[in-house]
Amino acid sequence: MSTSKVSRHLLYNASRIAMNSSVTEFILLGLTQDAGKQKAVFGVFLILYLSTLSGNFLIVVTIKISKTLGSPMYFFLFYLSFADACFSTTTAPRLIVDALAQKKTISYNECMTQVFAAHFFGCMEILVLILMAFDRYVAICKPLQYTTIMNRHVCSVLVILAWVGSCIHSSAQIFLALRLPFCGPNVIDHYFCDLQPLLKLACMDTYVTNLLVVSNSGAICTVSFIIPLTSYVVILYSLRNHSAEGRRKALSTCTSHFIVVVLFFGPCIFIYTRPPTTFPIDKTVAVFYTIGTPLLNPLIYTLRNMEVKKAMKKLWCSKV
């Protein structure tokens, strides 16, 4: 089933369940209730969001047009930047608009759509990061077989599997969200809809549901963090047989990847691998992985990658 059909089916179910619930909309409290700080939130996050879109769009267009960035690493970087832009778009616009809005409400259907989209593109980013770690492992540890193993057909199949895996994960999350009955409070102490704050509002025992959330999102975050971490340990061990120049180049590339992995998975593990409790720092942590990481990824991959910088300079200077 296509992603669009799945989305329509889930929205249909959302409409049916919403009819049986006394809550048809939610109120998002946002990052702050202070009027002065809300204006600062609007200005700061508008700049951050536009910077995120610009940086990731720049990488996407550069890789798509440049003839020198045809290796599998840049093939995966293309999809990482695309996922980053979409992932940020699922939360940032609502945060920016609500910062100046008098009535910070979101309908039930919009809330469920946001849950699905955030988990879909978040999972896509996770799976692409794993593919990039696998690509670096093959390139450094099996250089003679690299072009055979990581040919364009294999890379395309891996990306398709990442899209399918993301759809399965987000469908599981939205299935849990749609089963939650809301018959009382509708105030979400967050700036976007997610399962953790929704569980607090549900008028039912959410113990089993939280276990399912942890076993789904929490397990994906933890396992997905361990896999790249293990691959980088193996890469570091194998570099002892390389030349000094080879070690320097490999370490430069892997360091960029490792920084991105830690920045993204650290906050995700903190949010999704714990009992159904909330902390004041949760919103700050969520800002970091929903808005901060998509903004930092283009900077990390361009500032530490000479090939990308040269391709951008050559491509955009010639356009100008």
Side-chain angles (χ1 to χ4, degrees), residues 16-278:
R16 293 184 60 189
I17 294 178
M19 292 171 60
N20 298 323
S21 174
S22 61
V23 175
T24 58
E25 65 179 16
F26 298 99
I27 300 173
L28 297 171
L29 293 183
L31 290 178
T32 179
Q33 299 299 298
D34 185 273
K37 292 181 179 179
Q38 285 179 348
K39 293 180 180 179
V41 167
F42 173 82
V44 170
F45 284 94
L46 178 62
I47 294 172
L48 292 179
Y49 178 58
L50 293 177
S51 299
T52 299
L53 291 184
S54 301
N56 285 291
F57 175 76
L58 183 62
I59 291 180
V60 166
V61 174
T62 300
I63 294 175
K64 189 69 176 179
I65 297 177
S66 177
K67 296 180 180 179
T68 61
L69 302 178
S71 67
M73 181 175 73
Y74 300 115
F75 178 78
F76 294 134
L77 180 58
F78 173 91
Y79 286 99
L80 179 66
S81 295
F82 175 77
D84 275 335
C86 294
F87 185 45
S88 180
T89 301
T90 62
T91 59
R94 168 70 62 174
L95 171 62
I96 294 167
V97 172
D98 284 350
L100 296 182
Q102 293 295 324
K103 190 178 180 182
K104 302 176 177 61
T105 59
I106 181 171
S107 71
Y108 181 91
N109 285 350
E110 289 174 333
C111 184
M112 294 300 110
T113 301
Q114 191 174 53
V115 171
F116 180 85
H119 281 272
F120 180 83
F121 291 110
C123 185
M124 182 65 186
E125 183 168 351
I126 287 173
L127 296 178
V128 172
L129 286 172
I130 293 176
L131 295 180
M132 294 179 75
F134 175 70
D135 172 72
R136 290 301 85 201
Y137 165 77
V138 177
I140 295 171
C141 299
K142 299 181 182 295
L144 298 180
Q145 293 88 21
Y146 178 68
T147 54
T148 302
I149 297 175
M150 301 300 294
N151 60 65
R152 183 49 64 95
H153 176 71
V154 170
C155 292
S156 299
V157 171
L158 291 175
V159 169
I160 292 173
L161 291 176
W163 283 107
V164 174
S166 300
C167 187
I168 293 173
H169 164 71
S170 54
S171 297
Q173 295 296 99
I174 196 66
F175 175 76
L176 295 175
L178 291 174
R179 291 175 61 85
L180 296 175
F182 302 101
C183 49
N186 67 335
V187 178
I188 299 177
D189 188 15
H190 217 303
Y191 63 90
F192 73 100
C193 286
D194 201 4
L195 275 171
Q196 261 68 18
L198 287 175
L199 287 174
K200 292 183 63 179
L201 302 181
C203 49
M204 63 173 286
D205 183 4
T206 59
Y207 178 77
V208 175
T209 304
N210 184 74
L211 287 180
L212 294 174
V213 171
V214 172
S215 63
N216 188 349
S217 296
I220 287 177
C221 291
T222 305
V223 173
S224 299
F225 176 67
I226 293 174
I227 291 175
L229 193 64
T230 303
S231 70
Y232 293 134
V233 170
V234 175
I235 288 172
L236 289 175
Y237 180 77
S238 67
L239 285 177
R240 72 191 193 283
N241 298 323
H242 289 62
S243 64
E245 177 63 20
R247 285 197 299 269
R248 185 197 64 78
K249 187 174 181 180
L251 284 173
S252 177
T253 303
C254 289
T255 300
S256 300
H257 293 193
F258 183 74
I259 292 173
V260 171
V261 167
V262 171
L263 291 178
F264 185 78
F265 285 107
C268 287
I269 292 174
F270 175 78
I271 294 292
Y272 293 108
T273 58
R274 68 177 197 227
T277 55
T278 56

